[in-house]
Amino acid sequence: RALAVAALGRVARVTALCRALRRSEAEGDEPGWARAREEAEAALQELREIVRPLREPGYGEALRRKAERARKRRLRLQRRKHEARAAKEEEAARAAEREAKIDQWRAKCIQEVEEKNRERELKAAADSVLSEVRKKQADTKRMMDILRGLEKLRKLRKEAAARKGVCPPPSADEAFENQVESLKTLLKTRTELYEAEERALRVMLEGEQEEERKREMEKKQKKEREKLLQQKLEMDSKLFGDPAEFPLGHLLQPFRDYYLQAEHSVAALIQIRHEWDQYLVPADHPEGSCIPPGWVLPSLPTNDTWATAVR
């Protein structure tokens, strides 16, 4: 590139000097023509010196190889840049997926904590209301005890006054009894009301506890189902191979289809169940045993030869 730029500069210089020569020749300026001729020859000699390496044998091939190496280097850099960008995008996608899973897990944890807090707050509120009701019941009971104490005290004072010969008028007894009965009726009404509130709160608490037990049972059943499903997948994988790595044209595909036909056909399920039902015996039968609930896995090889055959 440097040689080409220098050569183009000298070509432009020679072209300008040629125009100056033609102009001096046309004007008849011999000194100017001679001076321009000398400068043109010098510039032409410089041009020859510059382009001489380009005319050497093998220079073009070396230049081509160098250009080819530069082109390959550019392609390699572009490929590395593309791979780096693809790896960065893939890492960003994995990071986004991890973040999404973390956000999902965090949201689930927050939801569980919020549910527990709501249940705790509801239970605390119910316990607070229940304690208030029990406090009211205790106050009502204490009032009933006070009324009974007043009745006993009046009876004792009345007997003491009678021994002294002092008898209160019947109207005073009647007024006292009416007042006591009115208070007893009021306290009884309040006691019934507080008992109804307590029963309602207990029913609500029992309902919440039942819902909590039901949720816990559902979670437990879900875990059990997932565990059984995982065990079934592991068992099927041991018996028939991993379905993800099981090609359609595999040698064991007909056997797999045969043993799993009941999962895809009701008629096959009925036929297989009918055949198995012929061999049903009680659990304590001396000449047989009940049908196992699942697949019977083969025992481990007892010697190297058997292990080699299994592999």
Side-chain angles (χ1 to χ4, degrees):
R1 189 183 295 109
L3 291 176
V5 171
L8 288 175
R10 296 302 183 278
V11 169
R13 175 67 175 164
V14 171
T15 302
L17 291 173
C18 288
R19 285 197 297 270
L21 281 172
R22 283 193 291 271
R23 187 169 56 252
S24 298
E25 184 179 3
E27 294 176 355
D29 185 5
E30 293 183 0
W33 183 85
R35 185 171 58 254
R37 183 173 179 276
E38 291 177 357
E39 293 178 358
E41 288 179 353
L44 187 60
Q45 183 63 29
E46 292 178 359
L47 178 61
R48 290 193 186 97
E49 293 294 330
I50 291 173
V51 300
R52 181 180 299 167
L54 300 177
R55 294 178 176 177
E56 293 179 358
Y59 184 83
E61 183 64 22
L63 187 62
R64 188 189 64 78
R65 287 196 301 270
K66 187 175 181 180
E68 183 66 19
R69 285 196 300 270
R71 185 183 68 83
K72 291 182 178 179
R73 182 172 179 274
R74 287 194 302 270
L75 292 177
R76 186 167 59 253
L77 292 176
Q78 291 178 358
R79 185 171 61 255
R80 289 179 179 176
K81 185 182 295 185
H82 178 71
E83 291 175 353
R85 184 168 60 251
K88 186 176 181 180
E89 292 176 355
E90 185 178 358
E91 179 62 25
R94 286 198 298 266
E97 185 178 359
R98 288 195 299 269
E99 289 293 333
K101 291 181 178 179
I102 292 173
D103 292 339
Q104 185 178 2
W105 173 79
R106 185 185 295 115
K108 183 179 179 181
C109 293
I110 292 174
Q111 183 179 1
E112 291 178 355
V113 171
E114 290 179 352
E115 289 179 356
K116 291 182 179 178
N117 290 334
R118 283 196 299 269
E119 292 173 0
R120 191 180 299 110
E121 291 174 357
L122 182 61
K123 186 177 180 181
D127 291 339
S128 176
V129 176
L130 187 59
S131 63
E132 290 292 332
V133 172
R134 289 176 178 173
K135 182 179 179 181
K136 292 177 181 179
Q137 289 177 342
D139 293 339
T140 304
K141 185 178 180 181
R142 187 170 61 255
M143 291 178 184
M144 292 292 292
D145 293 338
I146 292 173
L147 284 178
R148 285 193 292 270
L150 288 175
E151 288 179 343
K152 187 176 181 180
L153 178 61
R154 190 176 187 281
K155 182 179 179 181
L156 292 174
R157 289 184 176 181
K158 186 177 178 181
E159 291 176 355
R163 286 193 296 270
K164 295 179 181 180
V166 179
C167 295
S171 58
D173 294 339
E174 185 178 357
F176 179 78
E177 291 176 359
N178 290 336
Q179 188 67 26
V180 170
E181 289 297 330
S182 176
L183 291 174
K184 285 183 178 181
T185 303
L186 177 61
L187 293 176
K188 184 179 179 181
T189 303
R190 289 189 177 182
T191 301
E192 293 176 354
L193 177 62
Y194 297 153
E195 289 178 354
E197 290 182 3
E198 183 180 6
R199 286 194 298 271
L201 289 173
R202 288 187 180 278
V203 170
M204 184 177 66
L205 289 175
E206 290 177 359
E208 290 295 330
Q209 293 175 357
E210 183 65 27
E211 289 293 330
E212 180 66 21
R213 287 194 295 270
K214 187 181 294 183
R215 285 193 292 269
E216 291 295 333
M217 184 61 68
E218 289 177 355
K219 290 181 181 179
K220 186 176 180 181
Q221 291 177 354
K222 183 178 179 182
K223 290 182 179 179
E224 290 294 332
R225 287 195 298 270
E226 292 177 354
K227 183 178 179 181
L228 292 176
L229 179 60
Q230 185 64 28
Q231 291 177 354
K232 182 179 182 300
L233 292 177
E234 292 177 357
M235 192 175 297
D236 291 345
S237 177
K238 291 178 181 179
L239 291 171
F240 306 110
D242 190 0
E245 301 177 358
F246 201 83
L248 295 179
H250 197 272
L251 181 63
L252 297 178
Q253 184 64 39
F255 301 95
R256 182 182 180 88
D257 294 339
Y258 173 76
Y259 283 109
L260 299 180
Q261 59 180 327
E263 296 184 1
H264 308 286
S265 174
V266 178
L269 174 62
I270 295 174
Q271 179 63 27
I272 294 172
R273 180 59 187 268
H274 175 70
E275 293 176 356
W276 274 101
D277 288 345
Q278 298 177 1
Y279 300 95
L280 287 177
V281 294
D284 55 350
H285 197 278
E287 297 181 359
S289 60
C290 60
I291 299 174
W295 291 104
V296 179
L297 294 178
S299 58
L300 296 176
T302 57
N303 52 53
D304 296 338
T305 306
W306 184 10
T308 305
V310 172
R311 287 196 298 270

